[in-house]
Amino acid sequence: MPPGSLSTSFRLWWRRRGAAFALALLAAALLLALSRYAAVPSASPSPSYGHRLPTLVDLTLVYDRGAVCLDGTPPGYHFLPGFGEGSHSWLLHLEGGSWCPNLKSCARRQKTSLGSSAYMDSRVDFVGILSDDESQNPDFYNWNKVKIRYCDGASFSGNVQDQVKNGTGFFFRGQRIWEAVMADLLSKGLSRAKQAFLTGCSAGGLSTYIHCDDFQALLPKTPTVKCLADGGFFLDVEDISGRRYMRAFYNDVARLQDVRKKFPHCRSDMEPGQCFFPREVAKSITTPMFILNPAYDYWQVEHVLSPEGSDPQNLWRNCRVDITKCSSKQLEILQGFRKALLDAIDELKNRRDWGMFIDSCFIHCQSMKAITWHSPSATRINNKTVAEAVGDWFFDRREVKEIDCEYPCNPTCYNAVLDKPYKEDWLAG
Ligand SMILES: *[C@@H]1O[C@H](CO)[C@@H](O)[C@H](O)[C@H]1NC(C)=O
Ligand SMILES: *[C@@H]1O[C@H](CO)[C@@H](O)[C@H](O)[C@H]1NC(C)=O
């Protein structure tokens, strides 16, 4: 062995590996610094109830001719890649935000993120079922996750060829947005998913009932495809003044956006809006679904049961924002509303592969906040949080058909207290 070969080979090693070695050292130091930073308790209580701040996820726009928001801008989604064992699992979330029943309200939406990507935040927090924090989202934290933005005004169901003009132009292309976003995601790895989960809340919950079987059909090679509709079981009931306010509202949405053709199951003697209710949509769904719905969903109490015009004396003002302020007569009406929900889902209870979590709380969209999805303050039924119940059902760990006892029996209920009786243009749905 020639002299100096040892130091030569060390120099060679250093030239090849030294940079990587130095980088690794630097990374270790950084990690140590970061973990110290993360361990510092924050002065104010963290709103996320996780171990760290929520991850911010960038907006991706989808350019597909014909698939456009109400104002003609491209639709979009936020994508957070999965990691580790979750790399081949996909969870999609359809954003909610009510509906627009006429050109006037659609024109208002065109000036918001619910009708135009020009107003969408370029980055959003991923929390609750979208969180990548294991302590907040124990079963799905490492999955690929997508939040699909809602900007068509009719739960991704309209498909009107021609632009509607009245001063400004309107596009009713929700169905095409659904198709364009799915095509884009399939090409980015969704088509090779080992498990796939379509979820959504409020108007996005309704979208989930509507598109669940479409989703399954797009994934013929995926062994497990399931759906979760959160706060989306809107009821076709009379309001406190005896009108079917919600049906009339859905009739307007359905006519404006011609959604009837999306519902082949809809009988011709039914009003167009009737076909839009989950009770009707669910009849033909063959994919396993989980119904997550509070029996006293505050959005429905506000907009379905006691809509503004039905209460001229404003007797429901306090009850509408805080269930503890309801009179005994009002509570009786709320119990009737709960009964109507239980009747509507009665036959769905017998479907072996379906799950449900019908808690008796005054809340809306429980999968979308850390505190209601999975936290020490989260609502529990049989000592399980919503996240645990949904996970148990998704992974077949047990049968989950949880129907809570009547309000106010559940001491773990996380009940909301709203600060405004009516939200502008129903945007919160
Ligand atoms: C069209 O716009 C005008 C003026 O803004 C409004 O008065 C009218 O009601 C609109 N038409 C429809 C069908 O909404
Ligand atoms: C409820 O679940 C928690 C863990 O989530 C457990 O620590 C506790 O013992 C359980 N309580 C009962 C009564 O089973």
Side-chain angles (χ1 to χ4, degrees), residues 102-104 165-167:
N102 52 51
L103 294 184
K104 198 172 158 211
K165 286 215 175 87
N166 186 28

Side-chain angles (χ1 to χ4, degrees), residues 374 380 382-385 388:
H374 190 63
R380 286 166 186 263
N382 281 331
N383 200 30
K384 297 268 195 178
T385 62
E388 289 165 338

Side-chain angles (χ1 to χ4, degrees), residues 208-220:
T208 306
Y209 289 109
I210 293 170
H211 287 289
C212 185
D213 281 352
D214 299 341
F215 185 60
Q216 158 115 68
L218 289 169
L219 298 167

